[in-house]
Every structure is written in C-alpha cells, then in structure tokens.
Amino acid sequence: MAYLAPIHRPSSVRNALKIRLLSPDEESLVVAKANRLEIYSLLNDGLVLAHTRALYGKVTMLERLQFAQSPTEYLFVGTDRYMFFLLSWDHELQQLRTQKTYLDQADKTSRDSQTQDGCHVDPTKQYMALQLFDGVITILPLLSKGKKKTASEALSLGESVPARITEFFVRSSGFLYPREGIDARPRLAILYEDNHQRICLSLKNLDYTAGGAGDPGSASLDDVTARDDLELGASHLIPVPAPAYGLLVLSESSITYFDDIHGEALIEPLKEPAIFVTWTAIDAQRWLLADDYGRLYFLMLILEDHEVKGWKLDLLGIASRASTLVYLDNGLVFVGSHQGDSQLVRIQEDGAEILQSLANVAPILDFTIMDMGNRSGETHANEYSSGQARIVTGSGAFQDGSLRSIRSGVGMEDQGVLGEMAHISDLFSLRSSGNMAQSDTLVAAFVNETRVFQFTTSYEVEEREEFAGMALTEGTIHAANVRGNRLLQVTSSRVRILDLDSGMVTVEWSPQDARSITVASANEDHLVISSGGSELIALDLTQDLQVVTRRNFAKEGQIACLHVPTIRQDICIAGFWQSGAVAIIRLSTLETLQRVVITEDTVNVPRSLILTQLIANEPPTLLIAMANGEVVTFSLDAVGNILSRRKATILGTQGATFKILPRKNGLSNVFAICEHSSLIYGSEGRIVYAAVTAEEASCVCAFDSEAYPGAVAIATESNLRIALVDTERTTHVQTLKVNETVRRVAYSSKVKAFGIGTIARKLEGNYETVHSSFRLCDEVLFKELDRIKFENEELVESCIRADLYDGAGEFIERFVVGTAYMDAPNQDSVRGRIFVIAVTPERKLKIVARINVMGACRALGVIDGNIVAALVKTVVVYSLNGPDLTKLVTYRTSTAPIALSISGNQIAIADLMKSVSVVTYSRPTHAGGSHSLVEVARHFATAWSTAVCHVDDHTWLESDAEGNLMVLAQNVAGVSADDRRRLDVVGEMRLGEMVNKIQKVDVEESGNAVVVPKAFMGTVDGSIYLFALIAPSKQDLLMRLQQAIASRVQSPGNVPFNTYRAFKNSVREAEEPFRFVDGELIEKFLDCPGTMQEGICEEVGMVDVEEMRTMVESLRRIR
C-alpha cells in the first residue's frame, strides 16, 4: 500500500487575476498554482502572501464576479475534473467560503477542448461563458435579485446551459463590449481554425431563455459575422471597450483592428515578428503584451474622433516567459510564468524593471539526488527526513532554463567569517556593559585558552587581549552577564565574578581539594556546578558566590549534563552516566523532586539537556539528547514537577548538543548540534524538527547584536562565523541560471560535478535556431568546467552517470548521453547518437566512444556493466569495448519506450501508449551463447506512460500523462503462466500533475517504521513528492484514518476527497483512490480541533489521541 507526501509544493503559475476579495477597498492578487490558491496583498515592499489554501482539484480557470448586493467581489474557480465553485471571503473566520458549487459539469459525449479551457464574463455582467469542450459553449447566467430570490440566491450563478457551435479548434474567444443603441444581446467573438486549416473569425449573438421550476433554460449562439482570411499566425483576440469598440487580433506578423459593426479591418504589420502568448489591459486604449521569448510590449491605439486610425507597439524589456499577465496599478504588472520565475514588474518610461521574483522550479524536466545524508549501517532509517536530501533539478525552458538546488530545512545565511580557528569547544555571547540591550562581545572557548571578540555598530570586530579581567589563559566552561553590571566566568578550576566597569575580580571561588569543575550552568541568581564529576554545588550569584548547598550523587553515578533553566528559577536538571537517568532537583536544597530513567542501556546515556518554552500556552518542554542520537522530550508540569508526554525522535547516530535561540513572546528555538544539525521549534501546537544547512557546526550560540540583529555565532572544525538562521523550516532553492533548457541532469559524487544536457534556442534575424550541448558543472558553485557541443538540429534526450565494464573486467565511471535529430521527414530517417564521455583529471570532457542509432535515444540505463538504451520501438543493450559500442541484444516494444527502471537483472520499460512491461536480461550461459532479453511481465492496459520506477520486490510505480499514479505488482504466485506474466494494479490515485521523473531512494527499513520512503517524483508544475510504502501493520489504520479525516475536513468548493483523488484517464474513471494514502490529508489531523481529533480516533479504533498525534507527527517529519 502506497503513501504520498509533498516535499516541494507546485510553483508554476498559469492563472492569476486581480480582485477585491479581502476588502472592498483593497485589490488583491489571486494566483493559482496547480491545486493551490494564493492570495497576495500589494504593499510598499511588494507582494505579500495574505492567505493560501489547497483545493481538491487542479485549477484551470479563474474569474472575478461582482454582485450588486455584495461589497466585495466573488472568485469563480474551475478545476480539471470539471468541478466549478464560487468563493467569497469570510471576514469573521478569515477564510474562503463556498458560495455555490457545480459538481461534475463534464459532458460524457463531448470531446475535451483541444486548447486551454476558457472563461469569459460578458461586459453587461449578465452571463458567463465556459469553453470546456469542442463544439460546446457552456452558459451560466448571473442571477439578479428578484421577488422570488433570496439574498443568498441573488449572490450566485444560475444553472449551466450548453450552447452548440460549429467551431472546434478554438484559439481564442471573448465577449465584445456592447455599443449604445445597437443590439443589446451579448456578442461572443471566436478565433478558430477550420477543417481546411484556415484561420477564421466568427461573431455570434447570445440568446438565453430562462427556464421555469426545475428547468435550467436554453441558450443559443447565432452567427452574425464571419471571416476566413486571417493570418495563419493569429492567436489572440482583445475586445476593445468604449470609445473605439470592436476587437484586436494579435498575429505573428501583424495586428488587426476589426470593426464588428461595419465589418471593416485595419491591418498593420509588425516591425519584427512576434509570437504573442498573453495580454492584459491597462485602460480602454492601452495593453501590455508578452511573447514567447519573454519580451514585454506596450500597445496603444491611435484614435481620432473615437475612430481607430492605427496603433503603436513599443518594446519595454525582458521578463520571464509569461503564462498570464495581470495589470495591478500605478505601472505595476504581475508576470505569472509556467517555465520561469513569476515576477512583479514596474513599467517605466525607459522600460521595465523587475521589482520582485517568486521562485518557480517548474517544469521539472529531470532531477538527481545530490546528497542523501543517510546514516549508513544504522537501524533508525525510518526517521529519514527529506531535509537531509539535496535535490538538483533541471527546471524551466529556453531563456528561463536553470539548475535548481532544492532542500527543505532551516536556512542559514552567512554574514561574515571571523577567521580560521580550530577546536573551539564552546561559544558565549556577552554585553560589555550592563545597560546594553544587545550583545556586542563573543567569547570563544578552547581547551586551554579563551579568546574574546568585540563588535562595533559599524561591523568592525576586534580581538581583545584583555576583557574585564577574564582569565584568557584558561578554557571557559561557562560565561554570562549577571546582575549588577557584572560578568560570570567559570573555568575548570575556579568561578570568578568580574566587574565590567573596573575590570577587577569581585569574588573568586574554587572547589575543595583542587577538584576540577566539569559542568556548569546558571540563571540570573544561581550557579550550579559539578565538582569531581559526582558532586553538585549551588552558589548564590547575588551573595558573592556563597554556597547555598551541596550534594554528592555518587549512587547515581557521574553527572553527564546539567541545566539551570531561566524559565524556572527554583529547579535545576541533571543527567547521569551510569544510571541513564534524569533528575529534577530543587535548587535551594538539591533534593530530587523527580527521577526518570530514560534508558536501561548503560552505553546510551544523556549527553545534553535543556528546559525551555517551545510552544505557547503549553507547559515547558524538557529536551534530552541521548548518546545514540535520540532526542527524548517531556512536558514539565510546573505545579507537581511531573514529567509527562514522553516522545522520542532520532536525529543522528551521535549525541546532540543543545543551545537555546530566543524568539519573540517568550518562546525559544533549540539548535541541536550533531552530524545532521537540526532546529527544534514549536509550530501549531507541536514540536518540529527541521534540518539546518549547517552540516559542519561544532558549537553555536545566539548573538543578537546591534550590528547583526537576530544572528547566531557558529563554529566549525576550521572557522568561526556569524550567520542568520531562519526561525522555521522553509524550502530553500538555490538557482543557477543556464538560460537554456536543462533537458537532463546526472551527478557524479566521484568527480564532484554535474553532467547536464542543455538545449538553447536563439532568434537570428527572423529564423529560430536550436542548438544542444553537454556540460560539466562544479557541484558547489555550479560553475561550468567544460562543454561538448553537438551538431545542428541534434538534441539531448537522455543522460546518466554509469559504472561500465571497460572490456578488461574493471568498472569505470562514465557519463552516457543519448541524442536525437530533429530533421525527420519520414520514419526511416529518424536517427540519433549515443556518446560515452569520460572526465579527465583536469575535469575536462572527453568522448571515448560513440555510435549512430536509427532512432531517438529517449532513455538510458545500466545493467551488469552494460548500457541499456531506449530507442524508437526497441530497447537495446550495448557493451563498451574500447572506443566501440557493441550491440548485444534487442527487445521490441509495443510503440515507443519512454523511460527505464533497472533493478538487478530486470528492466521495467514504460511504453508511450501501452503502460509497462518487464524484461529479464541474461548473459550467455556457455561459450558461443547469446545475450537475451525475455519479457516476464506486462500490464495489459492502455496508459500514456511518462515514468516508471522499481519500488519493491516485483513492484513498480508508474505515472501517466493524465496525472495518475499506479503501483503495479507482478503476480509471481499466480496459478498459470499467464497469471504470473500479469502486472496487477495494487494501488492507484490521481495526482493531478504530470510526473516527468521518478527517482528511487534507498532507505533501510526498521521494525517500527510507519512508512518506508522509496522514491522522489518531479512534476511539470514544479512539485516534488515523496513516495513511500506503508508498513503492513499500519495499512488498515492509515486507510481508515484517511477516510475519517476526508469526511470531516472540507476544501473550498466542497469537492469530495474521493472524487478528487480517484483515478481518471480517457479509458476509465474510478470512484475513489485505491490503496493509496494522501499524506497531506493525513497531516491535517494535527490541525483539527481536539473534539474532532477524538471523534476521528474513535472512528478508526484508536483510543489514545496523543498516540495518534505522535504517529502523524512522525509521518510529517519524513518530508
């Protein structure tokens, strides 16, 4: 049974609009990203996200509607499953509210529109027209308030009515603006291509007749005017409002103004050809246009006495290739892009200025996993987190093409490096004066010395040879500011209180018998130290280090860690070596208030602990770092000092060290320093563990200074630096602009470089040329190291890193690249090439072997040290013999192989139309024998495959071009040979996005894992998903939990969850997902009110709500 969770949410923008949704006085920008709506407010700093919400469906259209009875506008949303709904803003709940829903408007007898779905509201605000199917326009009347209509009915749309048209391949359409004194019926303009491939324009009047009770009414579109002499490159219609009226037709080489009353056309050629892709209106005479190359144009009509005499077109500048344009106000325009970053652009007299960019990794054409961060040899692999993986994608297209390094975690931005320093044992931040609000001094402790660095507000730093009388020739265990403008320093031999004004030692204390101090911790009033390893001594900082009390814990064993919390002035907490216990101790008497044994394992002992307020309005949280990399948390009851709600999480293989990073409102984050450093923080009532991009950190401390507000100091094995660390986990995207399509990506950890296949498009004169190349780029700086250019019209189709046999029995690492030629006038001339490329010690590329093939090389793989190539209609295995590639064996596919997945001696082949087949490769068993590829299993169904991946024994994951996922399993225990050859569907779900690449990940299973990650998936909309298999013992529980949550949690539009996730293609449509669990829905359990959580647990048969929360939190952590 399968589990799916999003790692990176969709970022592609295809639809956006301006609307007064949140307030009558404020216009917001609504952006649709696949199945998510994002609402932005326009502030002085740019676009700020005000609200976001996931929908049960991929958004295909947006429209704004204004009803007379509502002060704000309504948002009309359409999805890919023909679900349509009307949304308004609930000011009390601060949420989107569903006004009306139209479920399943699909016409089973009609063909889906071959162009993009369209939505238009006529200028009289009476009707809405939907273009969903070829030959059909769906009309929805906008209801007006009448005697028999309630207020809610008046703020809605009527029932949909189909109107038949004879035009099929529609390129563009829109309602014309009505003229006064002329036919008041709405007039719809349609630009289409007829059966003779002529571009035609048709104008139609809409006649609508309202129906009676239970009758939706009727509608017809009658021809008024038609033309069939338009330019072949005509693509868009722009209705022109008063005073000019009529419409504009945008073409590749001209712009035409058409007078709909007199039938006259004014055609003027463009100075340079342009492929226009979208437009937006500024006012009645001016528009912004965007073309396929990312160029922005300003179009203005020239009028004389309200008559159009011509137009003027000016080039403004270059932006991302636009999918949609939205003019906001005051010269600001939003450029929504599918294949580049969406941008906020200011239009100025001298051109266009990009003010803000919204990162977009769509479309993901290929990706590779650069760094997994796995804990080799450990059994806690179930705690794997995607934050430990760096995924590098080939994103965008042509001039917007780029490499993107994506990592989900807590970001760290370096502010400066103090210098190269090794073996720093701890860091402390101090104030050089007691009346300062922020720190200005950083103390770096070493084994036998202490170094002090003082900062100024002008970013200057000075290392002090003397500071306030501190003992700099000794290592510092603890340092802090204390009351009375004084400074506390603890070393292994003594405790000193220093006066900051005079630099004199106020008081000094040393343990008896010259015993060493091993651990120390303090709050504002008290210091607690461990002397000799087993004795605790409490000292009063307000009474010149007077000993409050002391106690020997010899029976418990050596004291491993100690913490005096600042949020509880009356206690301290200690962890012990031999007993593996943690004790809550009264500070005034050092008596044990509560003792908890964390583990019976004498090796796995507490190494660090801390008590802090992570979650607002909740008890403080005690965090305990164990020696095996486990972190145990408790809630501490302030009244009875009772530890409860124990939870455990694996962060690494070694004990972590905790440091508190203060936040606002009395809350704190905790920085856990280990081989996979993490930030621990509270969010939405739960504790979150997020990977930090600070792999080499050895110690950390908060350093909130005037020069670096909110910063932290981080020491590594080699240096000390100042950095800013995010307060919560976000997705971090590092971009390398390639300005070419990154078609394929391969990564070599040995060479420490990427091999990328790129495609460049250039416009030379009026001709478009395409070139392709293979590049070698450094893994850190993404700097290009070398490049191989291919022939004209030869494009990269596939690229892998492979360990190949060199013919002498040794494995060698090589890049293998497959290409295809564009010049294919007939099938026999389709050809490509396969290259084997080596990287020299100088990090240069060298072609060591190549072969011409009669077919495009769509995919590559490696089996038994040989190359597997997916060509047109065949899969071929080649061996590398010096400079030659030798064909060993071939397999004939049904149509055309698209993707390969190789596991052991089996090859899964994703076919263009005929789903997946599995073949077994065998070497010769005797001298003179031949290699063989034998089909052992097949999925006997029609599926337009896009990717396939082996995820378990005899189990594969397949994606198709219609946005579905299928888990296929071979029936190896079948009774007959036919049964054993069959791939059965054991899980299916509609993702709603087309998957371009599925990459397998190897994570070792453990007995307590709820799910085991198996693969990453990248989609055309910029999403990255984690696919996992559910442990057999948890399958029924998660299925029942999904059903229980789906029945209680509604999405905007009230679309049923089962309908949203049900499999659907051109052949078959299911009613619900089959043996597939949506992780995003499961995680919504944590957001449900307490009473709803109890009801869900009761329905699924789990009594303990806290146990369910713990399980769902562990599922959330895997991504």
Side-chain angles (χ1 to χ4, degrees):
M1 185 177 290
Y3 184 88
L4 190 74
I7 292 176
H8 183 272
R9 302 194 187 279
S11 54
S12 163
V13 176
R14 300 178 192 264
N15 296 278
L17 56 74
K18 180 175 64 173
I19 182 174
R20 296 184 184 275
L21 180 66
L22 304 181
S23 168
D25 303 321
E26 175 191 356
E27 286 191 321
S28 303
L29 175 70
V30 176
V31 174
K33 297 180 178 179
N35 71 324
R36 302 191 71 84
L37 287 179
E38 295 182 353
I39 304 174
Y40 291 87
S41 296
L42 182 60
L43 304 178
N44 294 331
D45 296 333
L47 294 172
V48 177
L49 184 64
H51 183 72
T52 182
R53 190 70 187 272
L55 308 179
Y56 286 167
K58 183 178 180 179
V59 178
T60 57
M61 61 180 65
L62 296 173
E63 189 55 79
R64 58 191 286 180
L65 297 176
Q66 177 69 64
F67 297 96
Q69 293 77 22
S70 173
T72 58
E73 294 177 314
Y74 283 24
L75 179 65
F76 180 82
V77 182
T79 72
D80 60 337
R81 294 294 293 260
Y82 301 109
M83 305 289 183
F84 303 94
F85 39 90
L86 199 61
L87 303 177
S88 62
W89 182 252
D90 191 318
H91 294 277
E92 294 183 2
L93 300 178
Q94 293 293 295
Q95 289 285 347
L96 290 171
R97 176 177 56 200
T98 303
Q99 194 70 25
K100 187 168 184 177
T101 300
Y102 300 85
L103 294 179
D104 195 5
Q105 296 295 305
D107 187 340
K108 308 300 182 183
T109 62
S110 299
R111 184 178 68 181
D112 291 351
S113 175
Q114 300 303 295
T115 56
Q116 187 176 2
D117 292 348
C119 177
H120 308 288
V121 176
D122 89 286
T124 64
K125 311 297 183 184
Q126 298 182 69
Y127 305 100
M128 176 185 287
L130 305 181
Q131 179 189 331
L132 307 174
F133 308 99
D134 286 341
V136 178
I137 299 292
T138 303
I139 304 298
L140 286 84
L142 276 67
L143 299 179
S144 58
K145 191 171 183 180
K147 295 181 180 180
K148 296 183 180 180
K149 294 184 177 69
T150 64
S152 61
E153 290 176 332
L155 297 175
S156 188
L157 293 168
E159 294 300 320
S160 60
V161 179
R164 298 286 176 179
I165 59 175
T166 58
E167 296 79 9
F168 281 85
F169 193 84
V170 176
R171 293 189 175 186
S172 182
S173 59
F175 280 107
L176 300 185
Y177 286 88
R179 302 172 187 252
E180 295 183 6
I182 302 179
D183 194 341
R185 289 178 296 175
R187 180 168 293 182
L188 184 67
I190 300 175
L191 180 69
Y192 67 99
E193 182 179 337
D194 67 8
N195 294 332
H196 302 287
Q197 296 184 340
R198 295 176 302 184
I199 308 304
C200 308
L201 175 65
S202 176
L203 303 184
K204 299 175 179 292
N205 284 340
L206 171 62
D207 286 312
Y208 174 80
T209 303
D215 183 7
S218 62
S220 64
L221 288 166
D222 303 322
D223 288 336
V224 177
T225 305
R227 296 179 65 103
D228 60 2
D229 57 349
L230 275 68
E231 181 186 324
L232 287 176
S235 57
H236 292 78
L237 298 179
I238 301 178
V240 179
Y245 297 104
L247 60 92
L248 291 170
V249 181
L250 303 182
S251 305
E252 292 183 7
S253 61
S254 67
I255 296 178
T256 302
Y257 169 76
F258 183 74
D259 187 333
D260 61 310
I261 298 298
H262 303 97
E264 298 176 353
L266 175 61
I267 305 175
E268 291 191 12
L270 300 174
K271 294 180 180 179
E272 294 183 357
I275 304 174
F276 296 110
V277 292
T278 187
W279 60 274
T280 185
I282 298 176
D283 54 32
Q285 288 182 239
R286 299 180 297 171
W287 295 265
L288 289 174
L289 314 179
D291 74 0
D292 197 41
Y293 285 83
R295 294 177 295 199
L296 295 178
Y297 299 88
F298 179 82
L299 173 64
M300 182 177 68
L301 286 182
I302 300 174
L303 303 181
E304 290 184 7
D305 298 329
H306 303 325
E307 292 186 6
V308 177
K309 296 300 182 180
W311 48 261
K312 182 180 180 182
L313 185 69
D314 294 321
L315 177 63
L316 295 174
I318 303 293
S320 296
R321 194 272 191 191
S323 298
T324 182
L325 293 176
V326 180
Y327 183 74
L328 299 174
D329 202 1
N330 299 323
L332 296 178
V333 61
F334 174 73
V335 179
S337 180
H338 166 64
Q339 63 186 44
D341 292 341
S342 296
Q343 297 164 333
L344 180 65
V345 177
R346 183 187 299 279
I347 306 302
Q348 303 175 125
E349 292 184 2
D350 56 348
E353 176 189 4
I354 298 175
L355 302 180
Q356 183 180 359
S357 292
L358 305 180
N360 172 31
V361 301
I364 298 176
L365 303 178
D366 194 13
F367 70 88
T368 185
I369 301 172
M370 177 180 171
D371 175 26
M372 282 295 297
N374 283 346
R375 299 180 294 276
S376 176
E378 289 298 313
T379 59
H380 299 290
N382 63 296
E383 296 295 343
Y384 158 84
S385 168
S386 62
Q388 298 166 9
R390 177 173 287 114
I391 299 173
V392 178
T393 68
S395 300
F398 300 118
Q399 68 271 13
D400 297 312
S402 62
L403 275 179
R404 308 274 178 141
S405 174
I406 302 171
R407 183 168 184 173
S408 175
V410 177
M412 184 180 71
E413 180 182 353
D414 287 342
Q415 301 296 297
V417 177
L418 271 68
E420 296 184 358
M421 283 174 260
H423 310 300
I424 297 177
S425 59
D426 211 341
L427 294 171
F428 308 95
S429 62
L430 302 175
R431 302 186 306 274
S432 60
S433 174
N435 58 9
M436 297 179 65
Q438 294 176 293
S439 302
D440 67 341
T441 304
L442 182 64
V443 175
F446 298 81
V447 176
N448 296 316
E449 66 170 336
T450 299
R451 298 173 66 177
V452 178
F453 302 90
Q454 193 162 13
F455 292 74
T456 67
T457 56
S458 58
Y459 304 97
E460 295 179 354
V461 59
E462 176 189 1
E463 182 172 2
R464 299 287 300 271
E465 295 182 359
E466 188 279 331
F467 180 75
M470 289 185 67
L472 301 184
T473 58
E474 301 178 49
T476 298
I477 296 176
H478 185 76
N481 290 93
V482 294
R483 299 180 191 274
N485 198 28
R486 297 181 301 168
L487 177 65
L488 169 67
Q489 183 188 16
V490 181
T491 68
S492 60
S493 59
R494 53 185 172 167
V495 178
R496 311 174 82 205
I497 292 183
L498 313 166
D499 183 76
L500 285 172
D501 291 331
S502 63
M504 302 294 291
V505 178
T506 302
V507 62
E508 183 174 306
W509 180 92
S510 298
Q512 298 175 353
D513 303 327
R515 288 186 294 178
S516 64
I517 299 173
T518 56
V519 187
S521 182
N523 57 26
E524 291 185 344
D525 297 327
H526 292 89
L527 167 69
V528 179
I529 64 169
S530 171
S531 174
S534 60
E535 184 182 26
L536 281 185
I537 303 173
L539 303 175
D540 193 332
L541 299 177
T542 63
Q543 299 295 325
D544 293 336
L545 297 180
Q546 179 180 342
V547 176
V548 177
T549 186
R550 65 175 68 206
R551 179 185 172 187
N552 194 298
F553 288 86
K555 292 183 179 181
E556 288 283 1
Q558 296 287 315
I559 297 170
C561 48
L562 177 68
H563 177 59
V564 179
T566 57
I567 60 173
R568 287 285 306 274
Q569 299 287 328
D570 59 332
I571 63 172
C572 67
I573 308 167
F576 299 93
W577 283 100
Q578 283 81 0
S579 63
V582 168
I584 309 295
I585 300 170
R586 191 186 304 279
L587 196 57
S588 59
T589 62
L590 294 185
E591 65 175 307
T592 302
L593 300 176
Q594 185 181 9
R595 176 181 179 273
V596 176
V597 177
I598 307 301
T599 177
E600 300 293 340
D601 186 355
T602 57
V603 177
N604 184 25
V605 297
R607 297 300 303 272
S608 180
L609 49 78
I610 220 159
L611 179 71
T612 189
Q613 191 75 41
L614 291 178
I615 305 172
N617 304 318
E618 291 284 340
T621 301
L622 174 64
L623 296 98
I624 306 166
M626 307 300 290
N628 67 344
E630 187 179 36
V631 173
V632 180
T633 63
F634 291 93
S635 292
L636 177 62
D637 178 29
V639 177
N641 295 309
I642 303 300
L643 293 175
S644 61
R645 299 172 65 179
R646 171 174 174 160
K647 297 180 183 179
T649 302
I650 297 294
L651 285 188
T653 60
Q654 303 172 4
T657 301
F658 293 140
K659 280 298 184 78
I660 293 178
L661 303 181
R663 296 181 66 177
K664 297 179 180 178
N665 304 322
L667 301 180
S668 298
N669 289 349
V670 174
F671 199 110
I673 307 162
C674 55
E675 71 263 40
H676 299 301
S677 295
S678 298
L679 188 74
I680 306 172
Y681 63 94
S683 177
E684 300 175 354
R686 67 184 188 282
I687 299 174
V688 178
Y689 298 80
V692 181
T693 56
E695 296 88 348
E696 300 178 353
S698 58
C699 49
V700 171
C701 79
F703 188 63
D704 180 22
S705 62
E706 188 173 349
Y708 301 100
V712 297
I714 299 179
T716 68
E717 292 297 326
S718 59
N719 61 44
L720 174 62
R721 62 184 187 267
I722 307 297
L724 292 177
V725 177
D726 293 342
T727 57
E728 295 185 356
R729 176 173 58 192
T730 56
T731 299
H732 301 275
V733 180
Q734 179 185 355
T735 303
L736 168 66
K737 293 293 292 182
V738 180
N739 300 319
E740 299 178 12
T741 300
V742 181
R743 184 74 177 87
R744 289 289 181 253
V745 182
Y747 174 66
S748 169
S749 57
K750 180 180 179 180
V751 181
K752 296 184 178 180
F754 295 97
I756 61 174
T758 64
I759 301 174
R761 181 184 65 171
K762 294 181 180 180
L763 194 61
E764 299 174 353
N766 292 332
Y767 295 93
E768 183 178 86
T769 60
V770 178
H771 304 279
S772 191
S773 60
F774 178 74
R775 304 184 185 188
L776 186 70
C777 297
D778 180 76
E779 70 170 5
V780 178
L781 302 176
F782 287 169
K783 177 183 177 182
E784 182 177 315
L785 302 174
D786 198 12
R787 175 194 294 219
I788 294 175
K789 294 184 178 180
F790 298 118
E791 296 178 359
N792 291 338
E793 305 298 312
E794 183 182 17
L795 305 183
V796 171
E797 287 284 352
S798 52
C799 170
I800 62 169
R801 185 215 65 86
D803 290 320
L804 304 176
Y805 276 126
D806 62 356
E810 298 292 332
F811 276 107
I812 54 174
E813 185 182 60
R814 296 289 184 260
F815 286 108
V816 185
V817 179
T819 69
Y821 285 93
M822 294 178 63
D823 56 340
N826 57 70
Q827 188 171 353
D828 294 335
S829 66
V830 175
R831 51 199 172 91
R833 294 194 289 177
I834 298 175
F835 298 84
V836 179
I837 302 173
V839 180
T840 67
E842 295 78 24
R843 305 184 86 182
K844 299 295 181 181
L845 296 174
K846 178 183 178 182
I847 298 175
V848 296
R850 75 182 78 189
I851 187 173
N852 295 334
V853 293
M854 294 301 297
C857 185
R858 302 295 187 192
L860 289 165
V862 178
I863 190 166
D864 202 15
N866 298 317
I867 298 171
V868 183
L871 310 179
V872 174
K873 293 189 178 180
T874 58
V875 172
V876 185
V877 179
Y878 294 96
S879 65
L880 176 64
N881 297 296
D884 300 320
L885 289 173
T886 304
K887 183 187 295 185
L888 300 178
V889 64
T890 65
Y891 166 78
R892 186 80 171 180
T893 60
S894 298
T895 57
I898 293 297
L900 302 172
S901 178
I902 300 173
S903 178
N905 68 334
Q906 287 191 329
I907 306 172
I909 304 166
D911 190 85
L912 177 64
M913 296 177 60
K914 295 298 182 180
S915 194
V916 171
S917 60
V918 180
V919 298
T920 298
Y921 168 75
S922 300
R923 280 183 170 271
T925 57
H926 58 277
S930 60
H931 299 258
S932 66
L933 286 175
V934 179
E935 182 179 306
V936 296
R938 174 181 289 274
H939 181 219
F940 294 94
T942 299
W944 294 78
S945 307
T946 60
V948 66
C949 180
H950 179 266
V951 293
D952 203 5
D953 293 341
H954 309 292
T955 306
W956 291 266
L957 173 65
E958 178 192 7
S959 62
D960 69 15
E962 297 177 84
N964 299 297
L965 297 176
M966 291 174 285
V967 180
L968 307 174
Q970 184 181 2
N971 186 10
V972 293
V975 176
S976 65
D978 286 342
D979 292 338
R980 291 189 291 273
R981 286 190 64 244
R982 188 177 299 277
L983 289 177
D984 296 325
V985 177
V986 296
E988 63 181 19
M989 184 185 77
R990 182 174 178 84
L991 180 63
E993 304 173 51
M994 190 177 82
V995 175
N996 272 337
K997 176 71 176 291
I998 307 176
Q999 177 72 50
K1000 185 177 182 178
V1001 295
D1002 293 317
V1003 178
E1004 295 203 15
E1005 301 182 33
S1006 64
N1008 61 345
V1010 179
V1011 300
V1012 180
K1014 291 295 182 180
F1016 286 127
M1017 301 186 300
T1019 75
V1020 295
D1021 289 291
S1023 301
I1024 298 177
Y1025 291 91
L1026 176 68
F1027 173 86
L1029 293 179
I1030 305 173
S1033 61
K1034 301 294 184 181
Q1035 291 178 359
D1036 183 62
L1037 173 62
L1038 287 182
M1039 286 297 294
R1040 287 186 282 114
L1041 177 60
Q1042 175 172 263
Q1043 193 62 34
I1045 297 174
S1047 64
R1048 291 170 170 83
V1049 177
Q1050 298 293 325
S1051 78
N1054 300 325
V1055 179
F1057 171 80
N1058 284 342
T1059 302
Y1060 164 52
R1061 285 304 192 191
F1063 179 95
K1064 179 182 182 295
N1065 64 12
S1066 57
V1067 178
R1068 179 173 63 89
E1069 183 172 354
E1071 295 182 354
E1072 60 182 3
F1074 174 57
R1075 292 174 61 82
F1076 236 109
V1077 174
D1078 186 337
E1080 191 171 14
L1081 178 68
I1082 295 296
E1083 292 171 14
K1084 289 182 180 179
F1085 175 83
L1086 301 174
D1087 303 325
C1088 295
T1091 55
M1092 185 179 293
Q1093 290 183 349
E1094 293 174 359
I1096 292 172
C1097 291
E1098 183 178 353
E1099 181 175 336
V1100 301
M1102 180 178 284
V1103 179
D1104 192 344
V1105 177
E1106 187 60 35
E1107 183 180 352
M1108 179 68 81
R1109 285 178 58 90
T1110 301
M1111 184 189 72
V1112 177
E1113 286 174 355
S1114 70
L1115 290 174
R1116 190 165 193 160
R1117 282 196 296 271
I1118 71 171
R1119 65 181 184 88

